[in-house]
Amino acid sequence: MENTLHIIGGGMAGSEAAWQAAQAGVQIVIHEMRPTVETFAHQTGNLAEMVCSNSFRSDDDEQNAVGLLHWEMRQANGLLMEMADAHQLPAGGALAVDRDAFSNAVTERLRAHPNVRVEEGEITDLPTDGHWIIATGPLTSGALAQSIRAETGADSLAFFDAIAPIVYTDSIDMSQAWFQSRYDKGDTEEERKAYLNCPMTRDQYDAFIDALLAADKTEFHEGETAGYFDGCLPIEVMAERGRETLRHGPMKPVGLTNPHQPDVKPWAVVQLRRDNALGTLFNIVGFQTKMKYGAQTEVFRTIPGLENASFARLGGIHRNTFINSPTLLDDQMRLKSRPNIRFAGQITGVEGYVESAAMGLLAARLAIAELTGKTLPPVPATTATGALVTHITGGAEAKTFQPMNVNFGLFPPVEGLKGGRRGRKDRYKAYTDRAKADWTAWLAG
Ligand SMILES: Cc1cc2nc3c(=O)[nH]c(=O)nc-3n(C[C@H](O)[C@H](O)[C@H](O)COP(=O)(O)OP(=O)(O)OC[C@H]3O[C@@H](n4cnc5c(N)ncnc54)[C@H](O)[C@@H]3O)c2cc1C
């Protein structure tokens, strides 16, 4: 009994974690509340249900970070990748699957495994002893969320994400943008230059507001509520409240001097803030949005300096329960205040089916090592799995932490390669070659 691993939540992360640990000989109990307790998004009582799209996104393991994550999970004999491959649908370069066949197959494989027991029912309190992985996802039940909140503090658990778009630093045109904090605030040179600023003339601002108002927006999912809006209004809603609202809010031009044109006062300024310790990613401050992805790229590329911006991720606002992993978790994915509990999946602040499953895979491997008296070395940050876990457990800015997809901006740069769009193909190939070698070595070790 001592060595039983309990997993709360049989979604993407919990299912993969259960498989990895069961295959290693560990006794597993999956505690899944569905179908007894439902969420607004899940439709079945199956494990690993895909709640919305039926795509695991790009399967290109040479040029795409999520494709690389597929590759890494396949190398680690991941159940979800095996089942996704078995139930693949034609979708060009993407890995789309027959969602019912996929989740039925995952459920059958896990239920048939001699080391796995599925216990139906909601867990409402943080467990006090034993070995646990919490993988309850973006729709973690209210009672458990409150219990997590009581342990971690109110500011450490969010119920919604409010994601501003994130841009690759090397795609920003520095002949137009400049580094400066408002009023040059800060004790160090780094703090005084913490923001990147993109200036707008009056005409550019007017055109930007028109584009925002006209853009296609997504609706909230049924069961979601817009009641959380205070403090994180989508920019298009701010624009609807008045054409000047943004210019007096996140786009105010005060306390900034454009070194490229010191005599011209910008009418508005878009600010970007560093998003990771590596400095490879910047988020657009206050630009959470419900605009559709195509509209976002179009509208944001009208911002001077961002005409050629590459987006590591686009903005969004969703119902999403997630913890402040950079402050709460150690590099073994354990809750620092209760090391018998690991977190995995979307609740750790990764975003997406694949990323969640990958964090389940990793949490299980770390737990297996601990149960068998070993400590695994940290996963190299040069791998897709390692880049993600390094980001959520330390690389990300804790104060502004928001869920993250895997992307090459999370990877330590490969030295000596050309930056920008032109060098992209070679750069991505170098990242994925390095990742494959390092992941293979880590799995073997
Ligand atoms: C409406 C919506 C749409 C989405 N669309 C997409 C998309 O199109 N593509 C994409 O990649 N990602 C999408 N996501 C994100 C998606 O949910 C995650 O990528 C993925 O499912 C997260 O995996 P997970 O294992 O962390 O959580 P889940 O897959 O949600 O699994 C968590 C499990 O925990 C169970 N659970 C919760 N609380 C308890 C409890 N207290 N006790 C016991 N069991 C519990 C739940 O029933 C669930 O089965 C969407 C999310 C939402 C909410």
Side-chain angles (χ1 to χ4, degrees):
M1 198 60 193
E2 244 296 270
N3 282 344
T4 300
L5 178 63
H6 294 264
I7 299 173
I8 315 181
M12 295 294 156
S15 299
E16 186 60 55
W19 178 255
Q20 293 286 323
Q23 287 291 86
V26 176
Q27 293 299 309
I28 302 296
V29 182
I30 301 176
H31 303 265
E32 171 53 57
M33 69 178 185
R34 288 178 296 113
T36 321
V37 179
E38 295 182 335
T39 76
F40 78 80
H42 293 87
Q43 306 287 324
T44 72
N46 272 347
L47 303 176
E49 180 180 327
M50 302 172 94
V51 285
C52 188
S53 112
N54 67 332
S55 174
F56 282 143
R57 318 201 311 273
S58 171
D59 202 28
D60 179 349
D61 60 50
E62 292 195 343
Q63 290 291 315
N64 189 289
V66 83
L68 176 64
L69 207 47
H70 294 172
W71 186 93
E72 290 179 5
M73 286 198 283
R74 287 183 181 116
Q75 295 303 303
N77 300 318
L79 175 66
L80 267 59
M81 290 315 300
E82 188 190 333
M83 295 300 106
D85 289 338
H87 299 285
Q88 193 170 354
L89 298 171
L95 177 56
V97 305
D98 176 331
R99 69 174 75 236
D100 290 331
F102 167 79
S103 65
N104 280 333
V106 173
T107 307
E108 276 166 24
R109 284 288 279 274
L110 284 171
R111 282 190 180 272
H113 200 294
N115 295 343
V116 177
R117 187 157 56 86
V118 180
E119 260 187 30
E120 213 174 278
E122 178 189 2
I123 302 284
T124 53
D125 291 305
L126 267 191
T128 45
D129 49 26
H131 304 280
W132 292 79
I133 295 178
I134 299 184
T136 44
L139 306 177
T140 294
S141 73
L144 183 62
Q146 289 308 338
S147 177
I148 296 171
R149 214 170 191 209
E151 172 75 17
T152 60
D155 293 343
S156 296
L157 182 88
F159 292 100
F160 288 93
D161 58 37
I163 297 165
I166 297 174
V167 179
Y168 289 106
T169 315
D170 65 3
S171 69
I172 300 171
D173 178 3
M174 291 305 296
S175 70
Q176 301 191 71
W178 75 97
F179 283 105
Q180 185 186 9
S181 298
R182 227 180 267 289
Y183 300 110
D184 299 306
K185 272 193 191 146
D187 294 333
T188 63
E189 185 67 359
E190 201 183 10
E191 285 172 3
R192 287 189 287 274
K193 297 203 163 156
Y195 290 81
L196 254 172
N197 302 284
C198 299
M200 277 188 183
T201 63
R202 186 173 192 160
D203 286 348
Q204 286 166 332
Y205 178 79
D206 279 337
F208 180 74
I209 298 295
D210 289 338
L212 273 185
L213 294 174
D216 275 349
K217 328 273 184 332
T218 52
E219 298 303 320
F220 283 93
H221 288 279
E222 200 191 328
E224 283 185 317
T225 160
Y228 62 92
F229 264 169
D230 291 350
C232 67
L233 278 179
I235 44 168
E236 60 277 8
V237 175
M238 284 192 250
E240 277 163 17
R241 290 189 171 181
R243 296 185 68 87
E244 291 292 291
T245 309
L246 279 167
R247 222 172 70 76
H248 296 287
M251 294 174 73
K252 59 178 176 277
V254 299
L256 298 164
T257 305
N258 180 355
H260 306 297
Q261 286 182 298
D263 301 330
V264 180
K265 187 87 194 137
W267 184 252
V269 172
V270 174
Q271 284 204 304
L272 294 94
R273 182 172 43 217
R274 198 182 163 115
D275 202 73
N276 63 345
L278 291 170
T280 49
L281 301 171
F282 272 73
N283 66 66
I284 314 185
V285 180
F287 269 36
Q288 54 276 355
T289 176
K290 289 290 279 183
M291 278 189 288
K292 288 194 171 158
Y293 282 176
Q296 286 190 41
T297 359
E298 211 170 286
V299 174
F300 295 141
R301 285 197 183 130
T302 66
I303 297 168
L306 302 188
E307 292 89 346
N308 294 311
S310 290
F311 293 93
R313 68 160 310 165
L314 288 160
I317 301 178
H318 310 98
R319 170 84 170 80
N320 195 356
T321 310
F322 64 99
I323 58 169
N324 192 284
S325 294
T327 53
L328 298 179
L329 300 186
D330 67 13
D331 65 0
Q332 297 280 312
M333 302 175 81
R334 291 176 298 215
L335 190 60
K336 287 178 193 164
S337 63
R338 294 207 200 181
N340 65 317
I341 299 175
R342 284 185 160 78
F343 277 79
Q346 189 138 328
I347 196 169
T348 63
V350 297
E351 165 92 25
Y353 302 140
V354 184
E355 288 84 342
S356 298
M359 291 302 98
L361 185 152
L362 181 59
R365 287 188 169 237
L366 295 169
I368 299 161
E370 197 175 271
L371 282 165
T372 51
K374 290 184 238 151
T375 305
L376 283 183
V379 197
T382 48
T383 64
T385 311
L388 259 182
V389 77
T390 304
H391 180 76
I392 60 170
T393 59
E397 290 291 337
K399 272 195 220 150
T400 55
F401 184 60
Q402 289 291 322
M404 183 58 104
N405 285 131
V406 69
N407 66 77
F408 288 124
L410 304 179
F411 290 58
V414 177
E415 298 305 326
L417 288 173
K418 211 192 285 168
R421 286 192 171 206
R422 282 211 202 115
R424 197 155 65 182
K425 208 165 173 209
D426 290 343
R427 207 166 58 242
Y428 289 177
K429 180 73 167 54
Y431 284 144
T432 54
D433 284 348
R434 180 181 63 176
K436 287 173 184 174
D438 291 353
W439 180 249
T440 307
W442 185 79
L443 282 179

